[in-house]
Each structure stands twice: as structure tokens, then as C-alpha cells.
Amino acid sequence: MATTLTSEATTVWTGTLAAGSGTVTLDSSSTAEFSVNWKARAEGVANTTNPEELLGAAHASCFSMALANALATAGHTPTSIQTTAAVTFGAGKGVLGSHLLVSAKIPGLTEEEFQAFAQDAKVNCPISKALSGIPITIEAELA
């Protein structure tokens, strides 16, 4: 297993902020290419992403992986972990916060134990650490 890994994505943008548009390509994995534009970022547009949605994808997957690791290290194997990260953006203000909504099936774990694991993963996943300048909230339920 590699001890460090650099992942790359490229955006090509044309035009002004308001009238322009771009394409984001996931270079390292070559798995996807997405359209981006200001309207999608400021208002939301079907079939067009924005940086906050991509950040949400990163945060949700990182949190789920951190939670799975912490659980496994403690001897608990999760059946499933579903995480949604809702990242809020304010025009002229930037990224205002990330809210994690988590539902997990983990045999043999109490609700209290699960909440402790979820809080730990929220604080310690690498994307949460990278987002340390914004509020990160969580709602976690053991299904």
C-alpha cells in the first residue's frame, strides 16, 4: 500500500464567471467528466455540478472510510454505512459548512458506542481536517 498518493483533477474554464462554463475531469481515475458553471453553483442546475457538490462527495466518502476503519480497528464490522454530506455555499461568502447525515448498520454496537465512533470519524477524517475552518455538523443513526 502506498504511504502517500497525489490525486489529480483538471478544470478547463472558458468565459467570465457569470456567463462562462467549464469541465472538470477526474484525471487520476479517469472515471468521470463533469460540466460546471456559476448558475449551478449559485442556484443549482440539473445535470451540472459545482465545487461544493464535489466537496460533498469527498467528505461523504472520506467520513465513511474513516468510520469503517475505526469500527474495524475496534473489532466491529459494519454491514453498511451510508453518508450524505450537504455542503452549503453562499455567494460572496464561500463555503459555509458541511452537514453529515449518516445511517449505519453495525451488528452488536449500542447507540451510545456508535455516536462516539461517528463523532470521532467526523473530527478525524482527513477531509474534515482539511475543512477545519468551517462548521461540520452530524446527524448519525444506527439502523
Side-chain angles (χ1 to χ4, degrees):
M1 181 183 324
T3 57
T4 61
L5 174 71
T6 300
S7 298
E8 296 180 4
T10 299
T11 298
V12 176
W13 187 270
T14 56
T16 65
L17 174 62
S21 63
T23 302
V24 177
T25 305
L26 304 181
D27 298 330
S28 298
S29 63
S30 299
T31 57
E33 183 175 286
F34 305 102
S35 297
V36 293
N37 63 40
W38 174 253
K39 186 170 181 161
R41 190 172 199 186
E43 300 172 22
V45 175
N47 301 314
T48 305
T49 193
N50 59 59
E52 290 70 35
E53 183 178 37
L54 297 170
L55 185 58
H59 201 191
S61 59
C62 183
F63 173 87
S64 292
M65 294 167 87
L67 180 56
N69 183 56
L71 289 163
T73 299
H76 303 284
T77 301
T79 303
S80 67
I81 299 170
Q82 178 179 313
T83 305
T84 300
V87 177
T88 303
F89 172 78
K93 297 177 183 174
V95 176
L96 303 174
S98 182
H99 181 70
L100 299 168
L101 183 58
V102 185
S103 177
K105 293 179 184 174
I106 306 147
L109 204 64
T110 68
E111 184 67 33
E112 186 178 328
E113 291 169 323
F114 173 65
Q115 292 300 325
F117 279 108
Q119 287 297 324
D120 180 71
K122 179 192 93 159
V123 171
N124 290 306
C125 95
I127 298 298
S128 287
K129 288 182 177 185
L131 297 175
S132 64
I134 64 167
I136 298 171
T137 55
I138 188 170
E139 289 177 66
E141 71 172 9
L142 195 54

